[in-house]
Amino acid sequence: MSRPLRRATVVLSGVTKTYGSGDIAVHALRGIDLRVERGDFVSVMGASGSGKSTLMNLIGCLDVPTAGRYLLDGIDVSRLDDFELAYIRNRKIGFVFQSYNLVPRTSALRNVELPLIYARMPKAERRERAEQALAAVGMTHRAHHVPSELSGGQQQRAAIARAIVTEPALILADEPTGNLDTASGVEVMQIFSRLNAAGRTIVMITHEPEIAVHAKRQIHLVDGLVDSDRRTAPVAAPPPLHAADADATAAVSL
């Protein structure tokens, strides 16, 4: 007897996105079919104008498709209103942005707590969850520092902690190493590899091939269509560079 398929985290079916109309219409996405299984790690690449930012906005429920269907963790979000989309974003998606988007003059711990405050979680529980999330990214010792007192790499690690604190169905990372030096970028990708190896589902937008190779699956967009889709590791396996990342982390700690 065949085993039933697990519910995918992301399913896009015939998704298009058009801005404007008539002669000035811009077809940003031209019919995307994409399925991201739970526990996968997918990188999305493409040149400027390829549609990768539009795809990120749709997957992140920051916009809705012109046509087609989008299921996020089994929920059809294609036609939700703004209030419903905001609720889904808070409960189902953990965002990691290139520019960190931390609140100034607010401690790393408090920044990580913010999604739980919006979710009206009791203070003691949200504090415990935030501390655990910071520990998961190696930021316990900087929990009470404000962003201006943190390096770029530390700010991004705090942002990752904020992304995972709600236990989201999906971590959506937009150029997460774009503002970092090489060493800090490697550290951030080591964290993503560990999170994925522990079962987290990640979709990452990047223009850097050396960052994309950390994912189990690499998708390349051209003119609003999937041009190539290459898998480098099974969904259930660790990320392809996880062992190398673990070795690098161990070497640094010696």
Side-chain angles (χ1 to χ4, degrees):
M1 180 181 297
S2 61
R3 297 173 60 184
L5 290 174
R6 293 190 304 171
R7 185 173 69 196
T9 299
V10 169
V11 180
L12 300 175
S13 303
V15 166
T16 68
K17 184 64 182 181
T18 302
Y19 299 99
S21 60
D23 293 339
I24 62 171
V26 176
H27 301 285
L29 297 177
R30 298 172 180 268
I32 298 290
D33 295 305
L34 175 65
R35 181 183 179 96
V36 178
E37 302 294 341
R38 192 174 302 177
D40 209 351
F41 186 176
V42 178
S43 65
V44 179
M45 299 187 66
S48 178
S50 64
K52 65 180 187 297
S53 295
T54 301
L55 180 61
M56 189 213 74
N57 288 338
L58 293 183
I59 292 176
C61 296
L62 298 168
D63 203 351
V64 294
T66 301
R69 193 178 188 208
Y70 171 27
L71 299 180
L72 173 62
D73 202 29
I75 300 169
D76 189 343
V77 300
S78 307
R79 299 293 180 265
L80 298 183
D81 62 30
D82 290 344
F83 177 82
E84 293 167 326
L85 288 172
Y87 180 87
I88 292 295
R89 286 195 299 270
N90 183 259
R91 297 300 196 276
K92 295 290 185 181
I93 305 172
F95 290 93
V96 181
F97 298 101
Q98 177 177 343
S99 56
Y100 324 133
N101 287 15
L102 299 176
V103 179
R105 297 182 296 280
T106 303
S107 72
L109 180 62
R110 187 70 170 174
N111 266 282
V112 175
E113 282 187 278
L114 282 176
L116 304 180
I117 293 173
Y118 299 146
R120 304 188 180 215
M121 182 175 289
K123 182 177 181 179
E125 184 179 355
R126 72 175 186 247
R127 177 59 55 92
E128 181 181 3
R129 290 267 294 269
E131 289 173 345
Q132 290 173 348
L134 283 168
V137 299
M139 281 287 290
T140 297
H141 65 301
R142 306 294 282 175
H144 298 287
H145 291 257
V146 298
S148 61
E149 298 171 332
L150 303 174
S151 68
Q154 289 170 339
Q155 289 185 63
Q156 193 61 297
R157 283 153 63 187
I160 294 171
R162 181 183 58 195
I164 66 175
V165 74
T166 58
E167 296 289 334
L170 174 68
I171 298 173
L172 184 58
D174 181 22
E175 301 281 4
T177 63
N179 284 355
L180 302 179
D181 59 35
T182 300
S184 296
V186 169
E187 291 177 357
V188 164
M189 293 314 302
Q190 289 169 356
I191 291 171
F192 280 127
S193 289
R194 291 200 304 270
L195 292 172
N196 179 251
R200 305 270 188 177
T201 307
I202 302 173
V203 173
M204 175 179 66
I205 310 297
T206 183
H207 68 278
E208 302 174 86
E210 65 272 22
I211 296 300
V213 296
H214 288 262
K216 299 173 182 175
R217 181 181 175 194
Q218 299 170 34
I219 293 172
H220 195 270
L221 299 183
V222 174
D223 295 335
L225 292 167
V226 174
D227 181 61
S228 64
D229 186 346
R230 185 168 72 96
R231 178 164 292 285
T232 57
V235 174
L241 299 184
H242 180 58
D245 288 341
D247 291 343
T249 302
V252 170
S253 65
L254 290 178

